[in-house]
Structure formats: structure tokens, C-alpha cells
């Protein structure tokens, strides 16, 4: 053991994305692996845009120069997109935007800017995006966890309210996803009203990673709510997961705080160019969304046809489901086995939060998913 490493680091495990390397060699070499475990778009950037990006790199980016550390052009383009996509009367400005190396970086910056080194904790309602807790814990920040309704995954608001009133570790930040991952439900009016009722001393982070699929947003409320922040990303509908670009829309004072603590050149020139290009060509890129939603509904209907599966409707590009009527232990076991058998057949899906999360893929991928699931499910029930 190296003694200079913080003792609490031992209890964490490094994030292991796409465990495709676990797929048996025989499977991986004989068939295409369907990556339906991380909610990316199944579609690569169109060739014409890749060519434009390559041209930008050759002609406009000086590799020997640091990137634009202020992200000015990109922030202006994002501000315009946010304004347009919500038809805002008062436009969002660049001063209300901070750009991160993925929204993961912004989550960490929010934690540093609010809770680090104080008695402040964060509140999350499980199951939800795991990064909030993981990043908080690596910074020694407390995580208060509350539950959701097992029927519709609405946050247990009584529990959440009670948690805010605990004296020992004041909650400074509430993290919600809209629509939630992994359960795919958008915030209900009751949940939104609860968030609206919170004191301005509490930061409410609303992660809209799936906004382009759900078309539900709270950005229009930011003008009257200085304690709300919206997170978005280019990793999902904009097909730029490889480039790691996320952004936060919030009160200029919070944005200024985030900018003070981030690394100076956090976003490579190439990624900034990719995000700008994606925004210019957003119509083309977002054109595939209706198809993805139609594919999602097809998957939902097919999965709902299995009497032994419980499937939840989705406001995003993924579907959450699990076997019905099992006790907790056997259900966990069954889920692990289903996920394992799917992987052995070449489909990666995510076993998380007591269910299985399946990304909507291309038509071919979805057809394979249903075939493979059918074979597996038939052997179980
Ligand atoms: C995918 C996802 C993100 C995106 O993270 P990036 O770091 O921008 O790739 C953020 N929040 C949620 C809830 C997600 O599902």
C-alpha cells in the first residue's frame, strides 16, 4: 500500500465503461457487439460533417496553440440553441453558460463550488444517474439518498422533505434527472412543484441529458429561479460522445464560480469545433430523433407483450424493464443472468437500480435485441 494515498480511496472502484472486453473472444470476433448500455445515439456523425470537421482541423486549428479557454464562440452558439429550443422570450446569454469536458466535469465542478470542505451534502433519489454520488464520495462529500415509488419511480417527496430538515448535514444540492436515468420518467408536476418550493439556499441541478428526446425542459424557469441549474450534453442526441462536451445553464454568479474552479483549458479545440459544427447542423443531426422514438415505441410494445416482464414507458432513448413478481434476491440474480446471457450473445445492456436499462439502437440492433431477449426469456418463464 502506498501510504501517501488518501485512505478512503481504497473503497472506490474505477469507473469501467463498456465492459466489452468481458465478451467471450469467440462471440466478439464472430458478431458485431451492440452497445446498448450507455444511451448513446446509434448513429455516427454523417460523413459530410466528419469531412467538415477534418477540414476545420486542417485549416483553422493550430495544434501548437492552446484552445480558446473561455469557449466564447461555443458558449454563444449554445446560448442561441437553448434560447431557440425553448422559444425563450428573454434570451439566454453566454454569461449564463459554462462548458465542461462532458457534463461529468460540470457535476464535479458544482460539487466543488458548493459542498467541498464544508458540512454540505447532496440529495439524490435512487435509482438515478450514479455519477452524482460517485463524484461526491471521491470528494468526501456526503450523499443523502431517498427512494422512489416502486410503481412509477416518482421521488418519495415526504422522505426527501424530511431529509432536508435533518440537522446534522445540511443538504446544499439536490440532483435530479429530467427524464431520469435509468428509469426514463420525466419529472411530474408534483415533483416540479416540490423543487419550486425549496429554499433559495439550496441549489437544484436538473440534468437534461435527454432533452432532445423528451422535449421537456425547465430552462424557461431559470430567469425566476437563481438557485436552479440545468445540465445538458452533446453526448446523446448530438452524437458526440467521443468529444466530451457538456454545458450548464444557470445564474451568472454560479457560472462564474464554476469557471473559477475548472481547469484552464478543459476542452480541446477539436471538441469545441465539433460541438459548434453540431449546433450549426443541428437540424440534420436531430432529424433521426423521430425514428429513434418510433423504434423505442416498437421495443416498448414488444417488451410489454411478455406477461412476465414489467416495462415502464419512456420519455427518453432507453427503456427500463425487469421480471415481474420476484423477491429482491432472486430478482437481482435473474437480472445479472439475463444481462450476462445477453452479453454472451453480443448485446450489452445495463443492469442497474434493480432493473435492466436498454438503449434504443438502430433498427437492426433492436431486432437483434428482441430476438436475443426472446430466446433468453423463453428459457426463464
Ligand atoms: C449520459 C448522461 C450524461 C452525459 O454525461 P457526459 O459527461 O456529458 O457524457 C449526464 N447526465 C446523465 C443523466 C446522463 O445519462
Amino acid at each position: 500500500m502506498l501510504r501517501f494515498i488518501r485512505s478512503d480511496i481504497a473503497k472506490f472502484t474505477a469507473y469501467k465503461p463498456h465492459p466489452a472486453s468481458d465478451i467471450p473472444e469467440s462471440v466478439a470476433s464472430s458478431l458485431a457487439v451492440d452497445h446498448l448500455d450507455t444511451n448513446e445515439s446509434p448513429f455516427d456523425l454523417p460523413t459530410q460533417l466528419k469531412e467538415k470537421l477534418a477540414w476545420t482541423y486542417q485549416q483553422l486549428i493550430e495544434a501548437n496553440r492552446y484552445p480558446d479557454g473561455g469557449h466564447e464562440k461555443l458558449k454563444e452558439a449554445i446560448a442561441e440553441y437553448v434560447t431557440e429550443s425553448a422559444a425563450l422570450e428573454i434570451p439566454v446569454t453566454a454569461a449564463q453558460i459554462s462548458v465542461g469536458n462532458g457534463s461529468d466535469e460540470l457535476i464535479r465542478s458544482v460539487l466543488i463550488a458548493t459542498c467541498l470542505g464544508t458540512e454540505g451534502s447532496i440529495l439524490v433519489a435512487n435509482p438515478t444517474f450514479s455519477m452524482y454520488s460517485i463524484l461526491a464520495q471521491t470528494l468526501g462529500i456526503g450523499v443523502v439518498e431517498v427512494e422512489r415509488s416502486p410503481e412509477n419511480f416518482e421521488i418519495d417527496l415526504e422522505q426527501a422533505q424530511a431529509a432536508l430538515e435533518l440537522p446534522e448535514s445540511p443538504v446544499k444540492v439536490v440532483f435530479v434527472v429530467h427524464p431520469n436515468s435509468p428509469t426514463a420518467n420525466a419529472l411530474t408536476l408534483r415533483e416540479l412543484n416540490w423543487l419550486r418550493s425549496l429554499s433559495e439556499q439550496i441549489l437544484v441541478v436538473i440534468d437534461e441529458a435527454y432533452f432532445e428526446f423528451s422535449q421537456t425542459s425547465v430552462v424557461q424557469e431559470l430567469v425566476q429561479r437563481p438557485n436552479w441549474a440545468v445540465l445538458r450534453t452533446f453526448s446523446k442526441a448530438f452524437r458526440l460522445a467521443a468529444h466530451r462536451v457538456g454545458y450548464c445553464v444557470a445564474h451568472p454568479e454560479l457560472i462564474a464560480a464554476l469557471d473559477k474552479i475548472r481547469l484552464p483549458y478543459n476542452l480541446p479545440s477539436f471538441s469545441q469545433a465539433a460541438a459548434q459544427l453540431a449546433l450549426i447542423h443541428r437540424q440534420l443531426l436531430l432529424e433521426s430523433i423521430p425514428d429513434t422514438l418510433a423504434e423505442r415505441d416498437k421495443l416498448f410494445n414488444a417488451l410489454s407483450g411478455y406477461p412476465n416482464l414489467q416495462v415502464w414507458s419512456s420519455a427518453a432513448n432507453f427503456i427500463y424493464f425487469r421480471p415481474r413478481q420476484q423477491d429482491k434476491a432472486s430478482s437481482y440474480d435473474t437480472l445479472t443472468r439475463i444481462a450476462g446471457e445477453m452479453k454472451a450473445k453480443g448485446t450489452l445492456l445495463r443492469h442497474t437500480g434493480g432493473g435492466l436499462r436498454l438503449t434504443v439502437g438502430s433498427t437492426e440492433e433492436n431486432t437483434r435485441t428482441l430476438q436475443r431477449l426472446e430466446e433468453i426469456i423463453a428459457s426463464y418463464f
Side-chain angles (χ1 to χ4, degrees):
M1 224 9 206
L2 300 175
R3 300 284 291 276
F4 47 77
I5 296 174
R6 240 171 62 198
S7 58
D8 59 337
I9 297 294
K11 64 175 189 267
F12 306 127
T13 36
Y15 184 73
K16 196 177 164 208
H18 275 333
S21 50
D22 298 354
I23 297 176
E25 197 63 43
S26 56
V27 176
S29 55
S30 66
L31 48 87
V33 176
D34 296 338
H35 290 281
L36 304 179
D37 59 336
T38 40
N39 293 346
E40 297 142 319
S41 166
F43 309 114
D44 196 351
L45 218 50
T47 308
Q48 80 226 62
L49 292 197
K50 279 197 168 175
E51 280 166 3
K52 282 205 163 90
L53 195 54
W55 181 89
T56 304
Y57 183 60
Q58 282 175 330
Q59 304 297 322
L60 302 181
I61 294 178
E62 294 173 287
N64 59 320
R65 300 289 172 201
Y66 282 113
D68 170 6
H71 321 125
E72 287 309 325
K73 284 205 194 99
L74 177 55
K75 286 198 296 191
E76 272 161 32
I78 290 171
E80 191 219 321
Y81 167 62
V82 172
T83 301
E84 181 208 270
S85 65
L88 300 180
E89 279 169 27
I90 306 168
V92 164
T93 65
Q96 290 165 270
I97 309 250
S98 181
V99 183
N101 195 281
S103 32
D104 289 349
E105 185 197 3
L106 291 161
I107 294 166
R108 176 140 69 180
S109 293
V110 164
L111 292 168
I112 294 172
T114 55
C115 296
L116 186 71
T118 73
E119 299 292 292
S121 298
I122 66 163
L123 184 135
V124 298
N126 286 326
T128 194
F129 189 50
S130 56
M131 264 316 149
Y132 313 129
S133 303
I134 294 172
L135 293 174
Q137 284 162 0
T138 62
L139 294 167
I141 293 168
V143 181
V144 178
E145 298 177 302
V146 300
E147 292 170 354
R148 291 171 181 268
S149 147
E151 278 86 46
N152 61 9
F153 300 114
E154 199 177 328
I155 299 167
D156 185 331
L157 296 177
E158 286 66 42
Q159 226 185 53
Q161 186 60 38
L164 294 188
E165 286 153 19
L166 290 176
E168 57 270 25
S169 175
V171 168
K172 274 194 159 179
V173 189
V174 173
F175 281 97
V176 292
V177 197
H178 182 42
N180 189 42
S181 174
T183 54
N185 53 311
L187 288 168
T188 62
L189 187 60
R190 225 167 71 85
E191 290 173 313
L192 282 166
N193 282 337
W194 178 71
L195 294 172
R196 290 175 183 129
S197 77
L198 297 181
S199 142
E200 283 193 7
Q201 308 306 310
I202 294 175
L203 171 63
V204 176
V205 177
I206 296 153
D207 188 334
E208 297 186 350
Y210 302 96
F211 160 70
E212 285 80 11
F213 298 104
S214 71
Q215 289 299 317
T216 50
S217 178
V218 300
V219 281
Q220 72 285 354
E221 288 195 49
L222 293 179
V223 255
Q224 78 247 40
R225 301 193 192 283
N227 63 319
W228 282 23
V230 168
L231 290 180
R232 298 234 189 115
T233 179
F234 285 85
S235 298
K236 306 285 160 60
F238 277 105
R239 316 186 197 177
L240 288 184
H243 288 280
R244 311 296 302 123
V245 189
Y247 59 97
C248 176
V249 193
H251 191 281
E253 232 175 278
L254 175 60
I255 296 301
L258 298 180
D259 275 347
K260 282 182 199 174
I261 55 178
R262 71 170 167 80
L263 295 176
Y265 301 108
N266 61 329
L267 201 60
S269 306
F270 197 49
S271 288
Q272 295 190 41
Q276 280 170 247
L277 191 76
L279 285 173
I280 291 170
H281 297 278
R282 58 184 175 260
Q283 214 180 341
L284 172 69
L285 290 177
L286 302 180
E287 241 167 35
S288 64
I289 286 181
D291 292 340
T292 299
L293 299 184
E295 283 290 315
R296 174 193 71 196
D297 296 344
K298 234 171 62 186
L299 274 174
F300 174 82
N301 290 335
L303 293 174
S304 305
Y306 292 103
N308 293 312
L309 288 186
Q310 188 170 14
V311 188
W312 283 270
S313 63
S314 164
N317 65 330
F318 55 90
I319 291 179
Y320 197 61
F321 66 99
R322 69 176 170 222
R324 270 181 207 281
Q325 296 159 341
Q326 309 224 15
D327 66 49
K328 263 195 173 148
S330 73
S331 164
Y332 185 86
D333 234 40
T334 311
L335 292 169
T336 309
R337 276 160 56 199
I338 295 177
E341 288 176 32
M342 284 297 280
K343 190 197 274 184
K345 288 174 186 286
T347 297
L348 299 181
L349 41 74
R350 187 85 201 272
H351 173 196
T352 181
L356 295 169
R357 193 192 67 190
L358 169 70
T359 307
V360 179
S362 65
T363 307
E364 299 74 49
E365 287 174 321
N366 300 332
T367 305
R368 281 197 291 269
T369 297
L370 287 174
Q371 278 164 0
R372 289 166 179 174
L373 256 181
E374 183 154 346
E375 291 159 17
I376 291 168
I377 304 283
S379 73
Y380 275 94
F381 305 110

